């Protein structure tokens, strides 16, 4: 119940802190223009700069500024996960790090645009999402058309759809925190489903941490090989390989996660799983130095890492409901969400790598999704069941009331008795009021008490002005007075 109330309360809190002023058409146009174009310009600048750094630092590369600017468009498409064709050689193993950075930037700018425009209703935020997605889709298809006739071939439809969908999803996530879910959607979304989805996001993050630990362990066990690959002929080549390895680091983390979860990964003829290993040639890149050279018997012990990720997810669900079965259902929803996240990660982490011995780079998506879902759902359900309240929710029994023919009469008599008691209370109150009024009235036969002497004194002052009556023994004739 509290899940649905979180987003609207946050929206109301933000609107109260910053009450929106009247937004003019020029202000709305400027805010939407910044939200749409700033991520595009930032992405193009970063892609062009990274490409220029990698190519320019390499010895005898023939680097030119105009060439770097022309190559910035396809490089930006690579940050949007659009597959490229370089001189007839397909390339779809694209770096995930710039993609994550740009999507976070889009989400932040969309949230800021909604705040500056004073949007608190999800229906109002559709304009922000639409403008950002349309700008990225239009930019993608424009770059694809401009690349025709050069050494880089791009499918226009893919260049239109992928940037638009990714940026639209990021913008939706950005405005969702401020505006909340639409009202029609709230009526049909189960609060427990939202709780499970949030737990699934936490589970995916925990799985990525597990993959990062596996990758870090691989680098730690192959330090000499890593140093040998970085020992290039020039400092420029070493710096270029370092930058290339950095942008592909999230891809290596996803491969490490797939290895720890069980399905493993493959690069050309090389196939690595916790239970088997098939060696072969790999590119001489520092990021691939973490690959093992032979199978080790302790590799299956790494399966405990995704199990711990699922247990962490279940720990977060231990208080979502007092009923254990409801908590298990939330864990199942979290597992489904984690499986979908593994599908996305596995899809974008692998792909074609030319058409040589290193092609393709694959993560078995079906097995990876199934393994990720199970590693989250099963431990989460077990932990949520055991650590939460184990007592089932028992409804309070309600005794059935037998209705007979005398029931209306009994109810009517009870109402009459209640009215009689109310009448007695009111009569008692009226009696007390009459006694008070009787106390204030004076009896003419009673002598005035001390409190009534003040009017008598005033009467005596009035009698002082009148002639005094003669006392006993005094002469009634005035002439006899001395």
């Amino acid at each position: 119940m509290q899940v649905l109330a979180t987003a609207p309360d946050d929206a109301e809190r933000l609107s109260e802190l910053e009450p929106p002023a009247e937004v003019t058409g020029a202000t709305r146009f400027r805010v939407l223009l910044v939200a749409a174009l700033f991520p595009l310009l930032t992405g193009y600048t970063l892609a062009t700069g990274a490409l220029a750094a990698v190519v320019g630092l390499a010895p005898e590369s023939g680097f030119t500024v105009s060439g770097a600017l022309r190559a910035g468009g396809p490089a930006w498409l690579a940050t949007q996960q659009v597959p490229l064709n370089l001189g007839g050689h397909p390339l779809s193993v694209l770096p995930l790090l710039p993609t994550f950075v740009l999507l976070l930037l889009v989400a932040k700018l969309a949230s800021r645009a909604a705040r500056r425009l004073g949007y608190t209703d999800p229906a109002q935020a559709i304009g922000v999402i639409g403008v950002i997605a349309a700008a990225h889709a239009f930019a993608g298809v424009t770059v694809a058309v401009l690349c025709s006739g050069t050494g880089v071939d791009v499918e226009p439809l893919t260049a239109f759809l992928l940037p638009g969908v990714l940026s639209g999803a990021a913008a939706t996530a950005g405005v969702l925190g401020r505006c909340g879910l639409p009202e029609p959607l709230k009526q049909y979304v189960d609060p427990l489903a939202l709780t499970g989805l949030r737990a699934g996001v936490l589970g995916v993050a925990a799985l990525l941490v597990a993959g990062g630990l596996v990758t870090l362990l691989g680098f730690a066990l192959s330090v000499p090989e890593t140093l040998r690959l970085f020992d290039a002929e020039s400092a420029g080549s070493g710096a270029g390989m370092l930058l290339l390895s950095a942008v592909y680091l999230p891809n290596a983390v996803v491969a490490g996660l797939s290895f720890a979860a069980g399905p493993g990964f493959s690069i050309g003829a090389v196939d690595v799983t916790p239970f088997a290993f098939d060696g072969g040639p790999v590119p001489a890149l520092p990021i691939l130095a973490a690959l093992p050279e032979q199978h080790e018997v302790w590799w299956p012990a790494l399966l405990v890492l995704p199990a711990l990720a699922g247990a962490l997810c279940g720990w977060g669900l231990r208080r979502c409901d007092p009923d254990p079965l409801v908590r298990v259902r939330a864990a199942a929803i979290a597992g489904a969400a984690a499986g979908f996240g593994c599908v996305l990660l596995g899809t974008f982490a692998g792909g074609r790598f030319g058409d040589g011995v290193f092609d393709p780079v694959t993560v078995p998506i079906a097995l990876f999704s199934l393994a990720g879902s199970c590693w989250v759902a099963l431990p989460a359900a077990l932990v949520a069941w055991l650590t939460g309240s184990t007592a089932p929710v028992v409804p309070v029994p309600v005794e059935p009331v037998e209705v007979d023919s005398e029931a209306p009469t009994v109810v009517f008599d009870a109402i009459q008795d209640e009215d009689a008691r109310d009448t007695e209370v009111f009569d008692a109150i009226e009696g007390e009021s009459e006694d008070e009024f009787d106390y204030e009235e004076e009896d003419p036969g009673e002598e005035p008490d001390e409190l009534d002497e003040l009017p008598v004194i005033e009467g005596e002052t009035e009698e002082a002005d009148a002639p005094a009556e003669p006392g006993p023994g005094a002469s009634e004739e005035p002439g006899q007075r001395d």
Side-chain angles (χ1 to χ4, degrees), residues 40 92 101-102 118 125 138 186 198 245 265 286 288 292 305 318 358 379 384 411 436 443 469:
L40 296 175
S92 58
V101 172
L102 292 178
F138 179 76
K186 291 179 185 178
R198 293 181 178 179
S245 300
F265 61 94
L288 298 178
L305 294 178
R318 71 190 188 279
F358 309 132
V411 173
E436 293 178 358
D443 190 358
E469 296 180 359

Side-chain angles (χ1 to χ4, degrees), residues 431-449:
E432 293 178 358
S433 302
E434 292 176 358
D435 293 340
E436 293 178 358
F437 287 116
D438 293 341
Y439 176 79
E440 293 178 359
E441 294 179 359
E442 296 182 356
D443 190 358
E446 296 180 356
E447 295 180 1
D449 50 25

